[in-house]
């Protein structure tokens, strides 16, 4: 049986910390949207029950945190004027933006729905970061054909703009 300290090190939920709300910032790539009725309900939930789930963050600086999961909880906490927010910090050892994006998508897709155009933009960005379709599919929980469809939404022309192609045929006069 594993030692409890091993579990605490491996699972961020064991290490909830309260950080000043002004040190927690939204990311600029979250495709998850919540309808107004659900946002009202989330506000009522936090007002009535308090925070029941911490905000998942990535530490971007000594005292700065970027939201990976829990953007809407973070937003409501700030709207309520809370001085501190409960967070868990993940991925201390991986600092690439692509890893942060993938973590956000994994958290969101496990629960909810995404806006297609925003997901398309994310697939395009990860492709531009030299992520293979296989890596994108694995890390975002997609099938290969879903990755291809999302790339097509962003526009195949943009995806292949920097590629060189031979001419398909030559014209004889």
């Amino acid at each position: 049986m594993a030692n409890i300290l091993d579990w605490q090190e491996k699972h961020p939920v064991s290490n909830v910390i309260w950080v000043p709300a002004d040190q927690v910032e939204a990311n600029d790539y979250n495709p998850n949207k919540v309808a107004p009725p659900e946002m009202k309900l989330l506000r009522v939930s936090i007002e009535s029950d308090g925070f029941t789930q911490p905000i998942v963050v990535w530490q971007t600086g000594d005292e700065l945190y970027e939201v990976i999961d829990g953007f809407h909880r973070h937003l409501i906490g700030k709207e309520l004027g809370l001085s501190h927010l409960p967070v868990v910090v993940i991925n201390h050892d991986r600092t690439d933006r692509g890893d942060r994006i993938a973590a956000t998508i994994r958290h969101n897709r496990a629960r909810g729905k995404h806006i297609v155009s925003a997901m398309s933009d994310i697939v395009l960005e990860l492709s531009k970061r030299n992520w293979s379709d296989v890596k994108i599919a694995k890390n975002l929980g997609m099938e290969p054909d879903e990755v291809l469809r999302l790339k097509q939404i962003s526009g195949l022309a943009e995806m292949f703009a920097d590629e060189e192609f031979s001419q398909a045929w030559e014209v004889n006069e």
Side-chain angles (χ1 to χ4, degrees), residues 133-150:
D133 288 1
V134 171
K135 183 175 180 178
I136 293 170
K138 178 183 176 202
N139 280 279
L140 303 188
M142 297 178 177
E143 294 296 321
D145 63 321
E146 185 179 6
V147 174
L148 178 61
R149 283 193 313 271
L150 289 169

Side-chain angles (χ1 to χ4, degrees), residues 5 7 17 28 41 50 57 68 84 88 96-97 103 105 116 121:
L5 294 176
W7 283 100
I17 58 175
D28 63 357
L41 184 59
V57 298
I68 297 299
H84 288 70
V88 293
D96 182 71
R97 178 178 164 90
I105 302 310
V116 173
D121 292 342

Side-chain angles (χ1 to χ4, degrees), residues 76-87:
I76 296 294
K78 286 186 172 183
E79 286 176 3
L80 291 172
L82 299 179
S83 64
H84 288 70
L85 298 172
V87 304

Side-chain angles (χ1 to χ4, degrees), residues 7-16 54 56 87-91:
W7 283 100
Q8 288 175 334
E9 285 182 27
K10 181 174 172 128
H11 298 282
V13 73
S14 298
N15 301 300
V16 176
V56 180
V87 304
V88 293
V89 181
I90 64 167
N91 298 332

Side-chain angles (χ1 to χ4, degrees), residues 8-10 12 14-15 30 43 47 61 78 92 122 129 157 164:
Q8 288 175 334
E9 285 182 27
K10 181 174 172 128
S14 298
N15 301 300
N30 189 356
R43 183 183 184 101
E47 288 175 326
K78 286 186 172 183
H92 298 282
I122 284 169
R129 292 179 167 277
E164 290 188 32

